[in-house]
Amino acid sequence: MAKTDTMIINMGPQHPSTHGVLRVILELDGEVVVKATPDIGFLHRGLEKLAESKTYHQCITLTDRLDYVAGMTNNLAYVLAVEKLIGIEAPPRAQAIRVLLSELQRIASHLFWLGTHAHDIGAMTPLFYALRERDEILFMFEMVCGSRLTPSYFRVGGLAQDLPEEFEAKCREFIRTFPSHVDEYETLLTRNKIWMRRTQGVGAISGEEAINWGLSGPILRASNVNWDLRKAMPYCGYESYDFIVPTGKNGDVYDRYLVRLVEMRQSNEIIRQVLDRMPGGKVLVDDPRVVYPPKAKVQESIEAMIHHFHIASEGFPVPRGEVYASIESPKGELGFYLLSDGSNKPFRFRVRPPSFINLSALSTMVEGRLIADVVAIIGSIDIVLAEVDR
Amino acid sequence: MLAFVLIAIVKVLVVFTAMLLIVAYMTLMERKVLGHMQVRFGPNRTGPFGLLQPIADGIKLFFKEDIIVPHANRLIYILAPSVMVITALVSFAVIPFGDSVTILGHKVDMVVADVNVGLLYLMAISSLGVYGLVMGGWASNNKYSLLGAIRSSAQMISYELSLGLSIIGVLMITGSLSTVKIVGAQSQVWFVVYQPLGFLIFLISAVAECSRTPFDLTECENELVAGYQTEYSSMKFALYYLAEYAHILVISSLAVTLFFGGWQGPFLPPLVWFLIKVFIFIFFFIWIRATFPRFRYDQLMKFGWKVLFPLSLLNIMITGIVMSVIG
């Protein structure tokens, strides 16, 4: 009787399909995974600790570096938390623009997921199609704030500046053509027999289990749980837009794929609605506690000058208290927990990253499956390691 | 006798050079075609339209540092790529690429060797190629390589079978294993008309045999980093690539020879017809690479044994029945 033994294989931190520096220690019996242990922390930068030494305004740039595929939504969640703590609300135009850019960001993030996920499963062409459209969105971001991945565009109390004039035409052109592009991806994948065989029934997780794991976002909805913070706890006026929240049935990789594709189409519809009824007015709240005085005033009155200097050098103090605010980011519930001691810097800064919590269910999803499924499942969770490790 | 040897040597040299050239430019063609299918350009910087790219690649790979990993079995590690290349190149010997011509009173067949068991030779040699993969994967002493090697051996053996059985129909019709005779027998009707099912099975098995998408499990970068060739670098790595593309060329030529009348065609010279048909097949290989996702290992095996294998048996049966009825 020959002795048989399992084989330990290190998948990552340098591996083409672990989407960054995830390391999964796989115990294999042939090609079957007996045990999978994710090992994270290779991209830990101590962002949460770092934030404690920065003013509330400076923290915005840190949030860009969490989920770098969806910078806008990170900014939004953080800014909403600070606003909630201070007790201010951005003006309607700022809110509408926030929704607009968040939905564009959702599309961009899903497109990046789609391309890399399909590539993991062996279809190389969708990657290039998806990145083509994602680039259009990034160009729009560049137009809005001069930056493609790390926008830092949202401010406590509103936005850094109003949209440029040529933005609307470009955005309308994008939403006009985008649904046909989604059709293109679908012709390549949705009814493709190999794609269906590779994804259906793989990594299935029931709704109850998903809730117990604390999963959120498209993974949770693919398990037939209708939970979307945009509907359940609306922010930024999401309640006034008309859209549906897609859910899947089986909670497998295929359903997650379908859910994300429908979400892209729905986001496109939300963007159309925002553009159609974009309110006018200012994009920054009229509250001297957090907002710079107008430039003209600074140049003629010494008080305004001092005020400007204070905010620029020290930031603004935030009332004592604690707050948790969360949004539906492309990957799930992204929340910020802030504890303020009344100073200009957060006393405690804590992120609830959707990727990290979704990733925790990886081991249960992959055990007993093949190596090829591990890759498909990691892809379907849609993780960004910068957000997992922070 | 001297003339015979001389002709043989010249033929070998010409075919060898032509093959290497075609293989080099197949890589360029693949990158260009893939590029255009994927809304990008492909290589276009080295020379006009990137035409010098394969040469640049070759020079680059030649001067790369040649790393032999510690703990590797040196002999087998070095031997493995050459096994692949030799088997891939030698198997082209029995492919006829033109009619016989008379040069200086000598009749010269446009085939390196017209062997009466040509097909058997080809199948035997090309199955030896799998040793290159297994040896390379095993000798690298790397778990990813090992997994790639295991996958490839299982895959090659499974699909070799249906590949072999799919051409039995052709053999039954011609009654000969000589590739020259098979081409000759198609002067009226191409065998793809008589053997549509056989051709389909042959095509699928051929893609699997070359380890191309959707059957590229042996080196699928997304799971096994680079499969059996993970630890290979420099010219050894280039040899594996050379072998892979040479294999595609051989399989495409075989498909043309068996099912599409070989070099036969109106107006144009035989060699041109042969190349046109072969390149259509190569294009097809690239096209499916741009279109399909990859099978999973167990699905691949199931497909091979439960679908293709019975189908190829069925094809033989149908061919036999039809032949006995028609007489």
PDB file of all heavy atoms in Angstrom, chain A residues 8 10 15-17 31 119 121 124-125 128-129 197-198 373, chain B residues 37-38 40 143-144 151 221-223 290 292-294 296 298-299:
ATOM      1  N   ILE A   8       0.790  20.647   0.256  1.00  0.00           N
ATOM      2  CA  ILE A   8       0.516  22.045   0.597  1.00  0.00           C
ATOM      3  C   ILE A   8       1.038  22.912  -0.532  1.00  0.00           C
ATOM      4  O   ILE A   8       2.164  22.753  -0.977  1.00  0.00           O
ATOM      5  CB  ILE A   8       1.240  22.447   1.901  1.00  0.00           C
ATOM      6  CG1 ILE A   8       0.826  21.530   3.041  1.00  0.00           C
ATOM      7  CG2 ILE A   8       0.978  23.899   2.236  1.00  0.00           C
ATOM      8  CD1 ILE A   8      -0.435  21.910   3.720  1.00  0.00           C
ATOM      9  N   ASN A  10       1.301  26.985  -1.915  1.00  0.00           N
ATOM     10  CA  ASN A  10       1.157  28.389  -1.583  1.00  0.00           C
ATOM     11  C   ASN A  10       0.612  29.117  -2.785  1.00  0.00           C
ATOM     12  O   ASN A  10       1.312  29.292  -3.771  1.00  0.00           O
ATOM     13  CB  ASN A  10       2.530  28.978  -1.278  1.00  0.00           C
ATOM     14  CG  ASN A  10       2.735  29.144   0.189  1.00  0.00           C
ATOM     15  OD1 ASN A  10       1.817  29.532   0.901  1.00  0.00           O
ATOM     16  ND2 ASN A  10       3.915  28.851   0.647  1.00  0.00           N
ATOM     17  N   HIS A  15       0.839  35.628  -7.282  1.00  0.00           N
ATOM     18  CA  HIS A  15       0.163  34.660  -8.129  1.00  0.00           C
ATOM     19  C   HIS A  15      -0.750  35.458  -9.051  1.00  0.00           C
ATOM     20  O   HIS A  15      -1.336  36.442  -8.623  1.00  0.00           O
ATOM     21  CB  HIS A  15      -0.643  33.687  -7.253  1.00  0.00           C
ATOM     22  CG  HIS A  15      -1.258  32.563  -8.023  1.00  0.00           C
ATOM     23  ND1 HIS A  15      -2.447  32.709  -8.673  1.00  0.00           N
ATOM     24  CD2 HIS A  15      -0.847  31.310  -8.248  1.00  0.00           C
ATOM     25  CE1 HIS A  15      -2.747  31.565  -9.272  1.00  0.00           C
ATOM     26  NE2 HIS A  15      -1.784  30.703  -9.035  1.00  0.00           N
ATOM     27  N   PRO A  16      -0.852  35.034 -10.309  1.00  0.00           N
ATOM     28  CA  PRO A  16      -1.605  35.859 -11.259  1.00  0.00           C
ATOM     29  C   PRO A  16      -3.065  36.096 -10.882  1.00  0.00           C
ATOM     30  O   PRO A  16      -3.632  37.099 -11.269  1.00  0.00           O
ATOM     31  CB  PRO A  16      -1.514  35.060 -12.561  1.00  0.00           C
ATOM     32  CG  PRO A  16      -0.399  34.139 -12.389  1.00  0.00           C
ATOM     33  CD  PRO A  16      -0.213  33.897 -10.954  1.00  0.00           C
ATOM     34  N   SER A  17      -3.686  35.185 -10.147  1.00  0.00           N
ATOM     35  CA  SER A  17      -5.135  35.352  -9.953  1.00  0.00           C
ATOM     36  C   SER A  17      -5.558  35.632  -8.529  1.00  0.00           C
ATOM     37  O   SER A  17      -6.706  35.430  -8.208  1.00  0.00           O
ATOM     38  CB  SER A  17      -5.893  34.117 -10.400  1.00  0.00           C
ATOM     39  OG  SER A  17      -5.210  33.464 -11.355  1.00  0.00           O
ATOM     40  N   GLU A  31      -6.080  17.401  -7.179  1.00  0.00           N
ATOM     41  CA  GLU A  31      -6.457  18.779  -7.496  1.00  0.00           C
ATOM     42  C   GLU A  31      -7.559  19.280  -6.572  1.00  0.00           C
ATOM     43  O   GLU A  31      -8.022  20.403  -6.708  1.00  0.00           O
ATOM     44  CB  GLU A  31      -6.943  18.866  -8.952  1.00  0.00           C
ATOM     45  CG  GLU A  31      -5.851  18.685  -9.954  1.00  0.00           C
ATOM     46  CD  GLU A  31      -5.765  19.825 -10.942  1.00  0.00           C
ATOM     47  OE1 GLU A  31      -6.590  20.739 -10.881  1.00  0.00           O
ATOM     48  OE2 GLU A  31      -4.843  19.788 -11.768  1.00  0.00           O
ATOM     49  N   HIS A 119     -11.018  36.747 -17.140  1.00  0.00           N
ATOM     50  CA  HIS A 119      -9.654  36.348 -17.474  1.00  0.00           C
ATOM     51  C   HIS A 119      -9.185  35.205 -16.576  1.00  0.00           C
ATOM     52  O   HIS A 119      -8.492  34.293 -17.029  1.00  0.00           O
ATOM     53  CB  HIS A 119      -8.723  37.547 -17.350  1.00  0.00           C
ATOM     54  CG  HIS A 119      -7.385  37.309 -17.955  1.00  0.00           C
ATOM     55  ND1 HIS A 119      -6.295  36.990 -17.200  1.00  0.00           N
ATOM     56  CD2 HIS A 119      -6.966  37.308 -19.229  1.00  0.00           C
ATOM     57  CE1 HIS A 119      -5.257  36.799 -18.010  1.00  0.00           C
ATOM     58  NE2 HIS A 119      -5.634  36.993 -19.235  1.00  0.00           N
ATOM     59  N   ILE A 121     -10.999  32.911 -15.493  1.00  0.00           N
ATOM     60  CA  ILE A 121     -11.646  31.684 -15.942  1.00  0.00           C
ATOM     61  C   ILE A 121     -11.164  31.324 -17.333  1.00  0.00           C
ATOM     62  O   ILE A 121     -11.548  30.308 -17.892  1.00  0.00           O
ATOM     63  CB  ILE A 121     -13.182  31.831 -15.796  1.00  0.00           C
ATOM     64  CG1 ILE A 121     -13.494  32.047 -14.332  1.00  0.00           C
ATOM     65  CG2 ILE A 121     -13.929  30.646 -16.321  1.00  0.00           C
ATOM     66  CD1 ILE A 121     -14.924  32.045 -13.967  1.00  0.00           C
ATOM     67  N   MET A 124      -9.914  35.624 -22.324  1.00  0.00           N
ATOM     68  CA  MET A 124      -9.071  36.806 -22.212  1.00  0.00           C
ATOM     69  C   MET A 124      -9.678  38.052 -22.844  1.00  0.00           C
ATOM     70  O   MET A 124      -9.374  39.156 -22.446  1.00  0.00           O
ATOM     71  CB  MET A 124      -7.678  36.531 -22.790  1.00  0.00           C
ATOM     72  CG  MET A 124      -7.673  36.144 -24.239  1.00  0.00           C
ATOM     73  SD  MET A 124      -6.059  35.527 -24.777  1.00  0.00           S
ATOM     74  CE  MET A 124      -4.993  36.872 -24.352  1.00  0.00           C
ATOM     75  N   THR A 125     -10.578  37.882 -23.799  1.00  0.00           N
ATOM     76  CA  THR A 125     -11.055  39.043 -24.545  1.00  0.00           C
ATOM     77  C   THR A 125     -11.946  40.005 -23.740  1.00  0.00           C
ATOM     78  O   THR A 125     -11.796  41.209 -23.884  1.00  0.00           O
ATOM     79  CB  THR A 125     -11.772  38.580 -25.822  1.00  0.00           C
ATOM     80  OG1 THR A 125     -10.872  37.738 -26.534  1.00  0.00           O
ATOM     81  CG2 THR A 125     -12.142  39.728 -26.701  1.00  0.00           C
ATOM     82  N   PHE A 128     -10.366  43.211 -22.242  1.00  0.00           N
ATOM     83  CA  PHE A 128     -10.040  44.397 -23.023  1.00  0.00           C
ATOM     84  C   PHE A 128     -11.287  45.218 -23.327  1.00  0.00           C
ATOM     85  O   PHE A 128     -11.239  46.435 -23.329  1.00  0.00           O
ATOM     86  CB  PHE A 128      -9.335  43.990 -24.313  1.00  0.00           C
ATOM     87  CG  PHE A 128      -8.014  43.338 -24.041  1.00  0.00           C
ATOM     88  CD1 PHE A 128      -7.900  41.965 -23.982  1.00  0.00           C
ATOM     89  CD2 PHE A 128      -6.898  44.113 -23.798  1.00  0.00           C
ATOM     90  CE1 PHE A 128      -6.690  41.374 -23.707  1.00  0.00           C
ATOM     91  CE2 PHE A 128      -5.684  43.528 -23.522  1.00  0.00           C
ATOM     92  CZ  PHE A 128      -5.576  42.153 -23.478  1.00  0.00           C
ATOM     93  N   TYR A 129     -12.401  44.527 -23.560  1.00  0.00           N
ATOM     94  CA  TYR A 129     -13.644  45.260 -23.800  1.00  0.00           C
ATOM     95  C   TYR A 129     -14.056  46.028 -22.546  1.00  0.00           C
ATOM     96  O   TYR A 129     -14.433  47.192 -22.626  1.00  0.00           O
ATOM     97  CB  TYR A 129     -14.772  44.288 -24.195  1.00  0.00           C
ATOM     98  CG  TYR A 129     -14.610  43.692 -25.568  1.00  0.00           C
ATOM     99  CD1 TYR A 129     -15.537  42.793 -26.070  1.00  0.00           C
ATOM    100  CD2 TYR A 129     -13.540  44.035 -26.372  1.00  0.00           C
ATOM    101  CE1 TYR A 129     -15.393  42.239 -27.325  1.00  0.00           C
ATOM    102  CE2 TYR A 129     -13.384  43.497 -27.624  1.00  0.00           C
ATOM    103  CZ  TYR A 129     -14.309  42.591 -28.096  1.00  0.00           C
ATOM    104  OH  TYR A 129     -14.156  42.053 -29.330  1.00  0.00           O
ATOM    105  N   ARG A 197     -20.660  26.189 -17.355  1.00  0.00           N
ATOM    106  CA  ARG A 197     -20.172  25.011 -16.634  1.00  0.00           C
ATOM    107  C   ARG A 197     -19.139  25.375 -15.584  1.00  0.00           C
ATOM    108  O   ARG A 197     -19.034  24.737 -14.549  1.00  0.00           O
ATOM    109  CB  ARG A 197     -19.526  24.050 -17.614  1.00  0.00           C
ATOM    110  CG  ARG A 197     -20.502  23.196 -18.353  1.00  0.00           C
ATOM    111  CD  ARG A 197     -19.743  22.050 -18.914  1.00  0.00           C
ATOM    112  NE  ARG A 197     -20.536  21.327 -19.878  1.00  0.00           N
ATOM    113  CZ  ARG A 197     -20.092  20.254 -20.502  1.00  0.00           C
ATOM    114  NH1 ARG A 197     -18.864  19.836 -20.270  1.00  0.00           N
ATOM    115  NH2 ARG A 197     -20.838  19.620 -21.347  1.00  0.00           N
ATOM    116  N   ARG A 198     -18.344  26.383 -15.892  1.00  0.00           N
ATOM    117  CA  ARG A 198     -17.301  26.759 -14.953  1.00  0.00           C
ATOM    118  C   ARG A 198     -17.859  27.507 -13.746  1.00  0.00           C
ATOM    119  O   ARG A 198     -17.215  27.575 -12.703  1.00  0.00           O
ATOM    120  CB  ARG A 198     -16.266  27.647 -15.647  1.00  0.00           C
ATOM    121  CG  ARG A 198     -15.265  26.924 -16.492  1.00  0.00           C
ATOM    122  CD  ARG A 198     -14.445  25.968 -15.666  1.00  0.00           C
ATOM    123  NE  ARG A 198     -13.777  26.601 -14.552  1.00  0.00           N
ATOM    124  CZ  ARG A 198     -12.612  27.219 -14.626  1.00  0.00           C
ATOM    125  NH1 ARG A 198     -11.977  27.258 -15.747  1.00  0.00           N
ATOM    126  NH2 ARG A 198     -12.079  27.770 -13.562  1.00  0.00           N
ATOM    127  N   ASP A 373     -11.633  26.083  -9.372  1.00  0.00           N
ATOM    128  CA  ASP A 373     -12.761  26.747  -8.718  1.00  0.00           C
ATOM    129  C   ASP A 373     -12.288  27.796  -7.717  1.00  0.00           C
ATOM    130  O   ASP A 373     -12.941  28.818  -7.525  1.00  0.00           O
ATOM    131  CB  ASP A 373     -13.633  25.717  -7.995  1.00  0.00           C
ATOM    132  CG  ASP A 373     -14.329  24.797  -8.957  1.00  0.00           C
ATOM    133  OD1 ASP A 373     -14.525  25.221 -10.106  1.00  0.00           O
ATOM    134  OD2 ASP A 373     -14.656  23.668  -8.576  1.00  0.00           O
TER     135      ASP A 373
ATOM    136  N   MET B  37      -8.753  41.494 -32.441  1.00  0.00           N
ATOM    137  CA  MET B  37     -10.013  41.011 -31.872  1.00  0.00           C
ATOM    138  C   MET B  37     -10.268  41.650 -30.521  1.00  0.00           C
ATOM    139  O   MET B  37     -11.391  41.650 -30.035  1.00  0.00           O
ATOM    140  CB  MET B  37      -9.962  39.493 -31.710  1.00  0.00           C
ATOM    141  CG  MET B  37     -10.105  38.764 -33.022  1.00  0.00           C
ATOM    142  SD  MET B  37      -9.917  37.012 -32.802  1.00  0.00           S
ATOM    143  CE  MET B  37     -10.221  36.462 -34.462  1.00  0.00           C
ATOM    144  N   GLN B  38      -9.231  42.149 -29.886  1.00  0.00           N
ATOM    145  CA  GLN B  38      -9.374  42.685 -28.532  1.00  0.00           C
ATOM    146  C   GLN B  38      -9.192  44.192 -28.499  1.00  0.00           C
ATOM    147  O   GLN B  38      -8.671  44.733 -27.525  1.00  0.00           O
ATOM    148  CB  GLN B  38      -8.358  41.999 -27.611  1.00  0.00           C
ATOM    149  CG  GLN B  38      -8.623  40.521 -27.485  1.00  0.00           C
ATOM    150  CD  GLN B  38      -7.523  39.808 -26.762  1.00  0.00           C
ATOM    151  OE1 GLN B  38      -6.430  40.324 -26.621  1.00  0.00           O
ATOM    152  NE2 GLN B  38      -7.804  38.615 -26.290  1.00  0.00           N
ATOM    153  N   ARG B  40      -7.119  46.288 -29.653  1.00  0.00           N
ATOM    154  CA  ARG B  40      -5.802  46.892 -29.452  1.00  0.00           C
ATOM    155  C   ARG B  40      -4.968  46.573 -30.692  1.00  0.00           C
ATOM    156  O   ARG B  40      -5.453  45.933 -31.615  1.00  0.00           O
ATOM    157  CB  ARG B  40      -5.153  46.371 -28.162  1.00  0.00           C
ATOM    158  CG  ARG B  40      -5.051  44.883 -28.115  1.00  0.00           C
ATOM    159  CD  ARG B  40      -4.757  44.374 -26.725  1.00  0.00           C
ATOM    160  NE  ARG B  40      -4.763  42.929 -26.737  1.00  0.00           N
ATOM    161  CZ  ARG B  40      -3.692  42.192 -26.990  1.00  0.00           C
ATOM    162  NH1 ARG B  40      -2.545  42.761 -27.217  1.00  0.00           N
ATOM    163  NH2 ARG B  40      -3.773  40.883 -27.007  1.00  0.00           N
ATOM    164  N   LYS B 143       5.854  22.621  -7.354  1.00  0.00           N
ATOM    165  CA  LYS B 143       4.531  22.005  -7.246  1.00  0.00           C
ATOM    166  C   LYS B 143       3.611  22.433  -8.389  1.00  0.00           C
ATOM    167  O   LYS B 143       2.810  21.646  -8.885  1.00  0.00           O
ATOM    168  CB  LYS B 143       3.903  22.366  -5.907  1.00  0.00           C
ATOM    169  CG  LYS B 143       4.561  21.642  -4.760  1.00  0.00           C
ATOM    170  CD  LYS B 143       4.112  22.197  -3.420  1.00  0.00           C
ATOM    171  CE  LYS B 143       4.827  21.492  -2.290  1.00  0.00           C
ATOM    172  NZ  LYS B 143       4.554  22.133  -0.994  1.00  0.00           N
ATOM    173  N   TYR B 144       3.720  23.685  -8.788  1.00  0.00           N
ATOM    174  CA  TYR B 144       2.889  24.143  -9.903  1.00  0.00           C
ATOM    175  C   TYR B 144       3.262  23.400 -11.180  1.00  0.00           C
ATOM    176  O   TYR B 144       2.399  22.977 -11.953  1.00  0.00           O
ATOM    177  CB  TYR B 144       3.062  25.647 -10.105  1.00  0.00           C
ATOM    178  CG  TYR B 144       2.357  26.473  -9.085  1.00  0.00           C
ATOM    179  CD1 TYR B 144       3.053  27.217  -8.153  1.00  0.00           C
ATOM    180  CD2 TYR B 144       0.967  26.506  -9.042  1.00  0.00           C
ATOM    181  CE1 TYR B 144       2.400  27.986  -7.203  1.00  0.00           C
ATOM    182  CE2 TYR B 144       0.300  27.267  -8.101  1.00  0.00           C
ATOM    183  CZ  TYR B 144       1.026  28.006  -7.178  1.00  0.00           C
ATOM    184  OH  TYR B 144       0.371  28.749  -6.248  1.00  0.00           O
ATOM    185  N   ARG B 151      -1.598  17.221 -15.195  1.00  0.00           N
ATOM    186  CA  ARG B 151      -2.737  17.573 -16.037  1.00  0.00           C
ATOM    187  C   ARG B 151      -2.445  17.254 -17.491  1.00  0.00           C
ATOM    188  O   ARG B 151      -3.263  16.665 -18.190  1.00  0.00           O
ATOM    189  CB  ARG B 151      -3.012  19.070 -15.929  1.00  0.00           C
ATOM    190  CG  ARG B 151      -3.771  19.480 -14.710  1.00  0.00           C
ATOM    191  CD  ARG B 151      -4.026  20.946 -14.786  1.00  0.00           C
ATOM    192  NE  ARG B 151      -4.829  21.406 -13.660  1.00  0.00           N
ATOM    193  CZ  ARG B 151      -5.374  22.605 -13.601  1.00  0.00           C
ATOM    194  NH1 ARG B 151      -5.183  23.454 -14.579  1.00  0.00           N
ATOM    195  NH2 ARG B 151      -6.098  22.958 -12.572  1.00  0.00           N
ATOM    196  N   GLU B 221      -2.193  30.162 -16.840  1.00  0.00           N
ATOM    197  CA  GLU B 221      -1.508  31.076 -15.948  1.00  0.00           C
ATOM    198  C   GLU B 221      -2.361  31.444 -14.748  1.00  0.00           C
ATOM    199  O   GLU B 221      -1.829  31.737 -13.689  1.00  0.00           O
ATOM    200  CB  GLU B 221      -1.135  32.339 -16.706  1.00  0.00           C
ATOM    201  CG  GLU B 221      -2.303  32.894 -17.511  1.00  0.00           C
ATOM    202  CD  GLU B 221      -2.090  34.331 -17.886  1.00  0.00           C
ATOM    203  OE1 GLU B 221      -0.940  34.706 -18.058  1.00  0.00           O
ATOM    204  OE2 GLU B 221      -3.087  35.057 -17.979  1.00  0.00           O
ATOM    205  N   ASN B 222      -3.687  31.390 -14.892  1.00  0.00           N
ATOM    206  CA  ASN B 222      -4.505  31.870 -13.798  1.00  0.00           C
ATOM    207  C   ASN B 222      -4.596  30.890 -12.652  1.00  0.00           C
ATOM    208  O   ASN B 222      -4.959  31.245 -11.558  1.00  0.00           O
ATOM    209  CB  ASN B 222      -5.911  32.180 -14.310  1.00  0.00           C
ATOM    210  CG  ASN B 222      -5.851  33.100 -15.488  1.00  0.00           C
ATOM    211  OD1 ASN B 222      -5.740  32.635 -16.609  1.00  0.00           O
ATOM    212  ND2 ASN B 222      -5.870  34.372 -15.231  1.00  0.00           N
ATOM    213  N   GLU B 223      -4.264  29.635 -12.931  1.00  0.00           N
ATOM    214  CA  GLU B 223      -4.321  28.667 -11.845  1.00  0.00           C
ATOM    215  C   GLU B 223      -2.930  28.194 -11.465  1.00  0.00           C
ATOM    216  O   GLU B 223      -2.566  28.154 -10.305  1.00  0.00           O
ATOM    217  CB  GLU B 223      -5.176  27.472 -12.267  1.00  0.00           C
ATOM    218  CG  GLU B 223      -6.639  27.834 -12.425  1.00  0.00           C
ATOM    219  CD  GLU B 223      -7.338  26.897 -13.389  1.00  0.00           C
ATOM    220  OE1 GLU B 223      -6.954  25.729 -13.439  1.00  0.00           O
ATOM    221  OE2 GLU B 223      -8.255  27.341 -14.082  1.00  0.00           O
ATOM    222  N   ALA B 290      -9.359  33.630 -28.624  1.00  0.00           N
ATOM    223  CA  ALA B 290      -9.892  34.936 -28.253  1.00  0.00           C
ATOM    224  C   ALA B 290     -11.324  34.847 -27.761  1.00  0.00           C
ATOM    225  O   ALA B 290     -11.840  35.791 -27.192  1.00  0.00           O
ATOM    226  CB  ALA B 290      -9.816  35.880 -29.451  1.00  0.00           C
ATOM    227  N   PHE B 292     -13.122  31.803 -26.156  1.00  0.00           N
ATOM    228  CA  PHE B 292     -13.663  30.908 -25.131  1.00  0.00           C
ATOM    229  C   PHE B 292     -12.962  31.022 -23.785  1.00  0.00           C
ATOM    230  O   PHE B 292     -11.760  31.271 -23.723  1.00  0.00           O
ATOM    231  CB  PHE B 292     -13.552  29.461 -25.599  1.00  0.00           C
ATOM    232  CG  PHE B 292     -14.579  29.094 -26.609  1.00  0.00           C
ATOM    233  CD1 PHE B 292     -14.217  28.672 -27.862  1.00  0.00           C
ATOM    234  CD2 PHE B 292     -15.919  29.212 -26.311  1.00  0.00           C
ATOM    235  CE1 PHE B 292     -15.164  28.347 -28.808  1.00  0.00           C
ATOM    236  CE2 PHE B 292     -16.886  28.888 -27.248  1.00  0.00           C
ATOM    237  CZ  PHE B 292     -16.500  28.456 -28.495  1.00  0.00           C
ATOM    238  N   PRO B 293     -13.707  30.773 -22.708  1.00  0.00           N
ATOM    239  CA  PRO B 293     -13.083  30.538 -21.412  1.00  0.00           C
ATOM    240  C   PRO B 293     -12.475  29.136 -21.393  1.00  0.00           C
ATOM    241  O   PRO B 293     -12.584  28.395 -22.368  1.00  0.00           O
ATOM    242  CB  PRO B 293     -14.234  30.642 -20.407  1.00  0.00           C
ATOM    243  CG  PRO B 293     -15.414  31.099 -21.162  1.00  0.00           C
ATOM    244  CD  PRO B 293     -15.170  30.776 -22.592  1.00  0.00           C
ATOM    245  N   ARG B 294     -11.913  28.788 -20.268  1.00  0.00           N
ATOM    246  CA  ARG B 294     -11.182  27.533 -20.171  1.00  0.00           C
ATOM    247  C   ARG B 294     -12.022  26.469 -19.456  1.00  0.00           C
ATOM    248  O   ARG B 294     -12.769  26.770 -18.535  1.00  0.00           O
ATOM    249  CB  ARG B 294      -9.904  27.808 -19.386  1.00  0.00           C
ATOM    250  CG  ARG B 294      -9.010  26.650 -19.188  1.00  0.00           C
ATOM    251  CD  ARG B 294      -7.845  27.044 -18.301  1.00  0.00           C
ATOM    252  NE  ARG B 294      -7.089  28.143 -18.877  1.00  0.00           N
ATOM    253  CZ  ARG B 294      -6.829  29.278 -18.253  1.00  0.00           C
ATOM    254  NH1 ARG B 294      -7.268  29.477 -17.041  1.00  0.00           N
ATOM    255  NH2 ARG B 294      -6.125  30.216 -18.823  1.00  0.00           N
ATOM    256  N   ARG B 296     -12.642  23.205 -17.015  1.00  0.00           N
ATOM    257  CA  ARG B 296     -12.032  22.779 -15.763  1.00  0.00           C
ATOM    258  C   ARG B 296     -11.485  21.382 -15.983  1.00  0.00           C
ATOM    259  O   ARG B 296     -11.941  20.654 -16.863  1.00  0.00           O
ATOM    260  CB  ARG B 296     -13.094  22.793 -14.663  1.00  0.00           C
ATOM    261  CG  ARG B 296     -12.542  22.957 -13.291  1.00  0.00           C
ATOM    262  CD  ARG B 296     -13.667  23.207 -12.323  1.00  0.00           C
ATOM    263  NE  ARG B 296     -14.594  22.081 -12.304  1.00  0.00           N
ATOM    264  CZ  ARG B 296     -15.831  22.160 -11.833  1.00  0.00           C
ATOM    265  NH1 ARG B 296     -16.288  23.298 -11.393  1.00  0.00           N
ATOM    266  NH2 ARG B 296     -16.607  21.110 -11.818  1.00  0.00           N
ATOM    267  N   ASP B 298     -11.701  18.453 -14.465  1.00  0.00           N
ATOM    268  CA  ASP B 298     -12.598  17.292 -14.460  1.00  0.00           C
ATOM    269  C   ASP B 298     -13.564  17.339 -15.642  1.00  0.00           C
ATOM    270  O   ASP B 298     -13.892  16.315 -16.225  1.00  0.00           O
ATOM    271  CB  ASP B 298     -13.372  17.212 -13.131  1.00  0.00           C
ATOM    272  CG  ASP B 298     -14.185  18.453 -12.873  1.00  0.00           C
ATOM    273  OD1 ASP B 298     -13.727  19.529 -13.294  1.00  0.00           O
ATOM    274  OD2 ASP B 298     -15.257  18.366 -12.268  1.00  0.00           O
ATOM    275  N   GLN B 299     -13.983  18.559 -16.009  1.00  0.00           N
ATOM    276  CA  GLN B 299     -14.886  18.680 -17.157  1.00  0.00           C
ATOM    277  C   GLN B 299     -14.190  18.258 -18.435  1.00  0.00           C
ATOM    278  O   GLN B 299     -14.772  17.615 -19.308  1.00  0.00           O
ATOM    279  CB  GLN B 299     -15.366  20.129 -17.288  1.00  0.00           C
ATOM    280  CG  GLN B 299     -16.251  20.554 -16.149  1.00  0.00           C
ATOM    281  CD  GLN B 299     -16.437  22.047 -16.106  1.00  0.00           C
ATOM    282  OE1 GLN B 299     -15.750  22.793 -16.790  1.00  0.00           O
ATOM    283  NE2 GLN B 299     -17.359  22.493 -15.277  1.00  0.00           N
TER     284      GLN B 299
END
